[in-house]
Amino acid sequence: MKIYANQITNTLKGGLAPCYLLFGDEPFQINDCRIQIKQAAKQQGVEEFIRLSDDDQFEWDELVEHCQSMSLFSSTKLIELELSTGKLPKAGSDAIKQITEQLSADTCLVIFGPKLESSQTRAAWFKGLDNLGIYIPVYDIDGNHLQRWLKDQLSKRKMQMAYEAQVYLLEYTAGNLLACAQELEKISMALSSSNITLSDVEKLVADQSRYSVFQLIDQLWAGNAKQCVNIIERLKIEELEPNIILWALQKDVLLIQQLNQALTYNLDTKSILDTHKVWKNKQAVYLNQAKRIPAEILNAAVNQLSQIDQAIKFHTLTCPYSMFVHVCLMLTGATQLADIKLPLDAEFI
């Protein structure tokens, strides 16, 4: 049976189906459906939850065994399988065919993954599971559907938001449901009132929008050490991927190092700026930094960023954000604080 993501709540009121197929490129809705299925399973006494993924180490026989064996902990169990693609190998197709014929009555199977092509939904493995359970294709939503989704999210959180504030939030998050849901969580934690105004949303969203890797770079070359620390601490809290910060810092520091060397030896700097495709309105910023920062500081920063890169790759660094703070303090001239560990009180800068 085929339903849509917004129908899962009512469908689950009728009990668990033997199988659920969740496929699409909108991660928030897939995750939301999975959470609701798990919650329904717990309400029905399920205590055993198994999570599998078709990575390089995955054996399809393992899935068959889980689906056919009795649960050790409860009358039923829930098995999740994440697929990296809808194109199954022969071993996968054969395993699922066996499962559809012999799925244990005490088992609920949830399979999820990226969007399927129409040809993949006609495959034998898919048809077998579709006949057994429920297929939920997950699509991007927009327009009236997006506004309806936001109203549902507000209702779940028992929040009331002015229409203008809703429009602003949807425009700010550009239809990204995960980003929008995260903003709602921040708003609900920040405000004691359940009646949210446009002014409330503008203020909170504007505060959050400052904290990005691009703003970090802007504050770094403006020499604002205190703000660099604040931004990195916020990026740490939000668990921004360290490689993103590393890439931005390495790109700019290497550029400024090259400009510094060119200025030292009276070489052409325009070709360097052109090679790095630096916008004209940004060129003076980089040239000024190349003149301001001593070569030894730039060399030290490049070496430290290289060490961070290696440490991230080999998982030997417990807090890369602390090291990013050290680099920024070196580059802004606050070298006396470069060895301080996070968390760092920015009032000392």
Side-chain angles (χ1 to χ4, degrees):
M1 180 175 71
K2 179 179 177 180
I3 67 170
Y4 296 102
N6 61 354
Q7 298 173 305
I8 185 68
T9 303
N10 288 332
T11 303
L12 287 169
K13 291 177 182 178
L16 282 179
C19 175
Y20 293 89
L21 299 168
L22 298 164
F23 288 95
D25 292 329
E26 209 302 300
F28 178 86
Q29 293 182 85
I30 288 181
N31 191 55
D32 186 56
C33 288
R34 289 175 53 216
I35 290 172
Q36 291 192 57
I37 292 169
K38 284 184 178 179
Q39 289 173 341
K42 288 180 180 179
Q43 290 172 1
Q44 296 184 35
V46 176
E47 297 177 357
E48 184 175 4
F49 296 87
I50 299 168
R51 171 73 185 275
L52 304 171
S53 178
D54 68 338
D55 55 25
D56 294 339
Q57 310 300 319
F58 180 65
E59 296 288 343
W60 286 96
D61 288 342
E62 182 183 357
L63 176 64
V64 175
E65 184 179 344
H66 281 303
C67 289
Q68 294 180 351
S69 62
M70 296 290 290
S71 172
L72 298 175
F73 306 105
S74 64
S75 59
T76 56
K77 62 183 172 182
L78 185 144
I79 302 170
E80 285 189 322
L81 171 63
E82 181 178 9
L83 297 179
S84 56
T85 173
K87 209 168 188 179
L88 265 59
K90 186 176 185 302
S93 299
D94 291 344
I96 289 182
K97 181 181 178 182
Q98 185 177 348
I99 288 169
T100 56
E101 295 172 352
Q102 304 174 16
L103 184 64
S104 173
D106 71 342
T107 299
C108 175
L109 177 63
V110 178
I111 300 182
F112 64 99
K115 180 181 177 182
L116 297 178
E117 302 295 334
S118 57
S119 60
Q120 293 169 334
T121 61
R122 294 193 296 268
W125 71 266
F126 181 88
K127 285 185 176 181
L129 291 176
D130 188 22
N131 292 333
L132 191 66
I134 294 176
Y135 170 42
I136 308 175
V138 179
Y139 303 107
D140 289 329
I141 57 178
D142 52 23
N144 292 333
H145 296 291
L146 188 57
Q147 292 178 342
R148 198 156 33 237
W149 173 86
L150 177 55
K151 288 180 180 178
D152 289 341
Q153 295 300 310
L154 290 168
S155 178
K156 287 179 182 179
R157 293 169 173 80
K158 297 181 180 179
M159 297 167 63
Q160 294 183 356
M161 182 179 289
Y163 175 76
E164 296 82 2
Q166 293 181 37
V167 172
Y168 182 91
L169 183 59
L170 290 175
E171 289 180 350
Y172 172 76
T173 53
N176 185 322
L177 303 189
L178 181 59
C180 189
Q182 289 174 338
E183 291 298 331
L184 285 176
E185 289 298 323
K186 294 171 186 174
I187 292 170
S188 66
M189 289 188 290
L191 299 177
S192 57
S193 172
S194 61
N195 296 307
I196 314 300
T197 67
L198 173 60
S199 176
D200 292 328
V201 175
E202 285 179 330
K203 180 180 178 181
L204 290 167
V205 166
D207 180 63
Q208 295 299 329
S209 68
R210 292 202 311 268
Y211 301 105
S212 71
V213 69
F214 304 108
Q215 291 295 329
L216 171 63
I217 295 300
D218 286 344
Q219 294 301 320
L220 173 61
W221 302 137
N224 296 329
K226 176 180 177 179
Q227 189 63 359
C228 287
V229 174
N230 289 336
I231 293 174
I232 291 175
E233 289 205 307
R234 179 57 63 89
L235 295 178
K236 180 178 184 293
I237 291 170
E238 296 180 354
E239 297 183 346
L240 180 72
E241 175 60 45
N243 278 316
I244 296 175
I245 305 174
L246 177 65
W247 169 82
L249 288 173
Q250 279 185 321
K251 179 174 67 70
D252 272 22
V253 174
L254 287 171
L255 167 60
I256 292 172
Q257 185 188 47
Q258 289 182 35
L259 291 171
N260 177 275
Q261 292 173 350
L263 290 170
T264 301
Y265 296 103
N266 295 318
L267 301 176
D268 177 41
T269 57
K270 184 178 183 302
S271 60
I272 297 174
L273 294 167
D274 290 343
T275 299
H276 287 266
K277 298 180 180 179
V278 179
W279 291 355
K280 288 186 178 180
N281 63 341
K282 292 284 188 179
Q283 291 182 1
V285 172
Y286 290 109
L287 286 170
N288 288 337
Q289 295 303 316
K291 295 173 184 177
R292 181 186 68 81
I293 305 175
E296 57 269 23
I297 294 295
L298 289 170
N299 294 336
V302 169
N303 289 334
Q304 190 158 4
L305 289 170
S306 179
Q307 292 172 18
I308 295 171
D309 187 19
Q310 291 298 311
I312 290 175
K313 288 177 180 176
F314 291 99
H315 306 286
T316 59
L317 189 59
T318 56
C319 184
Y321 307 94
S322 299
M323 303 304 295
F324 294 141
V325 167
H326 297 167
V327 172
C328 290
L329 293 176
M330 289 168 56
L331 293 170
T332 54
T335 53
Q336 74 278 10
L337 297 175
D339 292 326
I340 293 179
K341 304 294 184 183
L342 281 180
L344 176 66
D345 188 347
E347 294 300 323
F348 289 121
I349 299 177

